Amino acid sequence: MRIENYLARISYTDLHQLSLPSLFKLHQFHVYNIPFECLDIHLGIPIELNVESIYKKVVNYFRGGFCYELNTLFNWLLNQLGYEANIISAQIINNHEPGPEYDHMAIWVKLESDWLLDVGYGDLFINPIEIKPDVVQHDGANYFMIKQLENNRYSLLMSATGTNFKERYVFSLSEVAIEKFESQSQLKQTSEDSHFVKNLICTKPTENGRKTIFNDKFLQRNNGERHISTFESESDLVKCLREEFGIDIKKYQQRLEEMFHFSF
């Protein structure tokens, strides 16, 4: 695994220095260039939580991934570059209640202060968020705030306007071994109740908005305007993935046609 190939994958061409501005750029470039996606679940390809497999998929094969993959890989990169980065567990809020432990993976970086990083949520922050309770932070698109729940437990809230905040997940600042996430990763790949089994998703932000594949729809937000188009066939989906996200799954198209559970 080569650091320079990973940096090229995220279009990071700066001469890297161990600094807060560099950490911000790494996070920005990662979310702009590597999409959140759960295609393998619909292609019947098992997702393995080890750095070598994820590196090959994301860097060599120009794919994306979901939280366990992308944050595992980014955490590895940060440590290779000299940052004090740790994997942490988070619990996604659904119906005002947190999910199970290891429901989500995020990253805690200690650099001048404590920072929350997350390149594997889907639609979240572009820049790292300082773990500084009750301070509103803006990433250029949305507003975020951290609430302290207990000594080592926090809540992340998000708002489009800076006034009405919605809780996204709760997290603890305790390093967690990647193996701890294996059970939840398997459930998200196989359970009929899994959001990722029910829905095919591929998304990444752009400088002016976001583009997203959600089942048989392609959604684009650009400077506040929204456009939605519907795929008429699996071929349209494959073409959109290639042209809009740089993901080539043409060799899996027949498998997708056999497994795809949406009516075109």
Side-chain angles (χ1 to χ4, degrees):
M1 299 187 297
R2 299 173 64 88
I3 294 174
E4 54 267 35
N5 290 354
Y6 193 161
L7 294 177
R9 173 72 177 91
I10 63 173
S11 301
Y12 185 92
T13 58
D14 295 356
L15 181 63
H16 182 264
Q17 296 179 336
L18 192 66
S19 67
L20 202 53
S22 293
L23 182 66
F24 269 57
K25 285 186 178 179
L26 286 165
H27 197 282
Q28 292 166 1
F29 284 31
H30 205 289
V31 296
Y32 279 133
N33 287 281
I34 299 182
F36 176 96
E37 50 106 332
C38 61
L39 297 172
D40 280 356
I41 294 173
H42 296 270
L43 295 172
I45 302 172
I47 295 171
E48 301 178 22
L49 295 190
N50 66 76
V51 175
E52 292 81 4
S53 296
I54 302 168
Y55 178 96
K56 183 182 294 184
K57 173 182 175 178
V58 173
V59 178
N60 294 350
Y61 298 155
F62 294 88
R63 288 284 306 280
F66 68 170
C67 72
Y68 305 123
E69 297 171 283
L70 299 187
N71 282 322
T72 290
L73 191 59
F74 191 44
N75 183 72
W76 172 84
L77 175 66
L78 293 174
N79 278 282
Q80 293 296 308
L81 292 172
Y83 293 95
E84 187 178 347
N86 298 288
I87 293 294
I88 59 174
S89 171
Q91 297 164 268
I92 303 292
I93 302 298
N94 284 309
N95 298 320
H96 307 290
E97 293 292 335
E101 194 65 72
Y102 315 119
D103 187 32
H104 180 66
M105 177 190 288
I107 301 171
W108 165 35
V109 171
K110 299 175 71 173
L111 182 65
E112 300 179 14
S113 62
D114 294 311
W115 297 88
L116 177 66
L117 282 70
D118 193 339
V119 297
Y121 184 89
D123 189 356
L124 203 59
F125 45 81
I126 306 298
N127 299 325
I129 300 297
E130 187 174 9
I131 303 175
K132 191 173 183 180
D134 305 319
V135 175
V136 176
Q137 303 176 57
H138 189 240
D139 73 342
N142 293 289
Y143 297 85
F144 298 88
M145 185 164 52
I146 300 283
K147 290 284 187 182
Q148 187 162 8
L149 306 178
E150 299 169 10
N151 288 340
N152 201 36
R153 190 169 174 80
Y154 300 85
S155 174
L156 172 70
L157 299 93
M158 177 178 176
S159 169
T161 62
T163 54
N164 297 315
F165 283 85
K166 182 178 180 180
E167 195 175 23
R168 291 302 187 196
Y169 57 65
V170 296
F171 63 95
S172 300
L173 294 186
S174 300
E175 182 180 4
V176 178
I178 294 171
E179 293 75 21
K180 293 285 189 178
F181 297 90
E182 188 64 47
S183 177
Q184 281 298 317
S185 175
Q186 290 300 318
L187 281 174
K188 285 174 172 40
Q189 295 178 61
T190 59
S191 172
E192 293 181 355
D193 296 326
S194 167
H195 182 65
F196 306 118
V197 170
K198 292 178 179 179
N199 300 290
L200 187 147
I201 304 167
C202 183
T203 184
K204 69 177 181 178
T206 66
E207 291 187 3
N208 298 313
R210 174 170 291 274
K211 49 188 176 182
T212 300
I213 291 174
F214 190 79
N215 298 332
D216 63 342
K217 300 287 192 299
F218 179 48
L219 303 88
Q220 298 177 82
R221 292 201 319 259
N222 191 38
N223 291 321
E225 296 183 357
R226 292 172 56 88
H227 177 73
I228 301 176
S229 56
T230 301
F231 302 128
E232 296 183 359
S233 69
E234 288 85 355
S235 297
D236 290 342
L237 169 62
V238 171
K239 181 181 178 182
C240 183
L241 284 166
R242 183 179 66 251
E243 294 181 352
E244 299 292 341
F245 298 92
I247 295 176
D248 185 1
I249 61 165
K250 188 173 180 59
K251 66 180 179 180
Y252 300 115
Q253 187 167 340
Q254 183 176 356
R255 188 182 302 181
L256 188 65
E257 292 171 356
E258 294 171 353
M259 299 185 65
F260 208 52
H261 51 277
F262 306 107
S263 299
F264 286 102

